[in-house]
Amino acid sequence: MKQIQKKNEGTRFKRTPQRLAILEYLEGNTSHPSAEDIFRVVSKRYQSMSFATVYNTLNTLTRAGELRELTIDPERKRYDPDISRHHHLICVLCGKIVDIPEKIGVELPKDMAEHFVLLGHHIEFYGHCSSCRKKNKEK
Amino acid sequence: MKQIQKKNEGTRFKRTPQRLAILEYLEGNTSHPSAEDIFRVVSKRYQSMSFATVYNTLNTLTRAGELRELTIDPERKRYDPDISRHHHLICVLCGKIVDIPEKIGVELPKDMAEHFVLLGHHIEFYGHCSSCRKKNKEK
DNA sequence: GTATAAATTATAATCATTCTAAGCATTATG
DNA sequence: CATAATGCTTAGAATGATTATAATTTATAC
């Protein structure tokens, strides 16, 4: 069992039509879709697509570091094909998740380095997105 | 129906023994427990405790703004009785969630204010906590 | 082309969370 | 006090997201 895993560790990602369809949908997608969002769209074009395949592919890509799994939505996992450093705002009115570029200076407390090994960070902003803001005529 | 709701809107939180047991467990608790964690401990002392009561109480407290629901753990909701502004580190080795004080200067991009109404933010740090760091003899 | 590991599929299983309906406890009312 | 109203608790069923299973199919290397 372990041997099988080891043996195949270096095997490259098989490019099946289902995976290509998922990858194509994700490519450049900034909507932070859930597994269901992806399934709904991709299964329309790709008749026999199974939900399990969506999850399998998402997990494989996430483990390979080519996809980011977001925990910002308490109801379900969301996926972000943009793996560059950036943050997110979740609109508390419509639930939309919006990218926030990382031009934010985060100064970490000096004593943190003594206690923790820091690998990364992610900022969740809560607020009203621009379209909700317009709808409500805020400001 | 609406009238009934309205009538009771101002009703204060009833201090039942079950709720008191949950509150007591949460008081000063910095372990960021899940509903199950809470149920496990509290139901030991309080025989008849139901899982639903734990969830009901947690949701009521959260809605009342007296408890913070954390989404940092992708597997389950975690709860934090400390509602003051602070952030969290999740140890990628042991899964523990640790409080990070808010003495962090976060400078938001200037143009964000033009696009969004910002209500708050929360930083998720990823890293190795101090006990895992010691175990691994890091640094 | 063929073997073989890996991917897909449908379906069942699991796990966290919410819902439901019945009974219980507390408080307000007469 | 009695009684009604309200809200709380409970067990268990229901839901929804995600993962596991097992049989079948497919991609890739030889």
Side-chain angles (χ1 to χ4, degrees), chain B residues 9-65:
Chain B
E9 236 157 41
T11 300
R12 98 187 170 84
F13 189 76
K14 248 189 199 171
R15 325 217 111 225
T16 66
Q18 292 90 335
R19 288 179 164 183
L20 290 172
I22 294 171
L23 284 169
E24 193 188 340
Y25 175 67
L26 287 175
E27 178 79 24
N29 187 315
T30 60
S31 71
H32 310 90
S34 65
E36 208 205 329
D37 294 334
I38 296 167
F39 176 75
R40 203 173 25 244
V41 172
V42 175
S43 68
K44 215 174 272 170
R45 306 220 156 221
Y46 209 90
Q47 196 50 298
S48 75
M49 171 73 62
S50 151
F51 227 119
T53 297
V54 173
Y55 276 110
N56 287 341
T57 304
L58 293 174
N59 288 336
T60 302
L61 290 171
T62 301
R63 273 186 231 108

Side-chain angles (χ1 to χ4, degrees), chain A residues 33-126:
Chain A
S34 66
E36 208 205 328
D37 295 334
I38 296 167
F39 176 76
R40 200 169 31 239
V41 172
V42 175
S43 69
K44 216 174 272 173
R45 307 220 154 219
Y46 209 91
Q47 195 50 296
S48 75
M49 170 73 61
S50 151
F51 225 120
T53 298
V54 173
Y55 276 110
N56 287 341
T57 303
L58 293 174
N59 287 337
T60 301
L61 291 171
T62 301
R63 274 185 230 110
E66 294 178 25
L67 188 64
R68 226 168 117 182
E69 194 181 280
L70 303 181
T71 64
I72 192 172
D73 178 347
E75 308 310 321
R76 56 187 60 74
K77 288 175 187 163
R78 306 288 210 100
Y79 295 90
D80 192 342
D82 179 356
I83 55 173
S84 72
R85 279 200 200 85
H86 65 285
H87 307 294
H88 296 95
L89 173 132
I90 186 162
C91 177
V92 300
L93 298 177
C94 69
K96 193 165 54 187
I97 295 176
V98 190
D99 289 316
I100 302 291
E102 167 152 277
K103 24 173 171 171
I104 299 174
V106 182
E107 243 179 72
L108 307 179
K110 292 175 207 91
D111 54 341
M112 269 190 71
E114 295 165 27
H115 295 304
F116 308 110
V117 174
L118 271 184
L119 301 175
H121 70 277
H122 173 231
I123 311 185
E124 299 174 340
F125 293 95
Y126 302 94

Side-chain angles (χ1 to χ4, degrees), chain B residues 45-96:
Chain B
R45 306 220 156 221
Y46 209 90
Q47 196 50 298
S48 75
M49 171 73 62
S50 151
F51 227 119
T53 297
V54 173
Y55 276 110
N56 287 341
T57 304
L58 293 174
N59 288 336
T60 302
L61 290 171
T62 301
R63 273 186 231 108
E66 293 178 25
L67 188 64
R68 224 169 119 182
E69 194 181 279
L70 302 180
T71 64
I72 192 171
D73 178 347
E75 309 309 321
R76 55 187 59 75
K77 289 175 185 163
R78 306 288 211 100
Y79 295 89
D80 191 343
D82 179 357
I83 55 172
S84 72
R85 280 201 201 85
H86 65 286
H87 306 295
H88 295 95
L89 174 132
I90 185 159
C91 177
V92 300
L93 298 177
C94 70
K96 193 165 54 186

Side-chain angles (χ1 to χ4, degrees), chain A residues 5 26 32:
Chain A
Q5 288 183 303
L26 287 176
H32 310 91

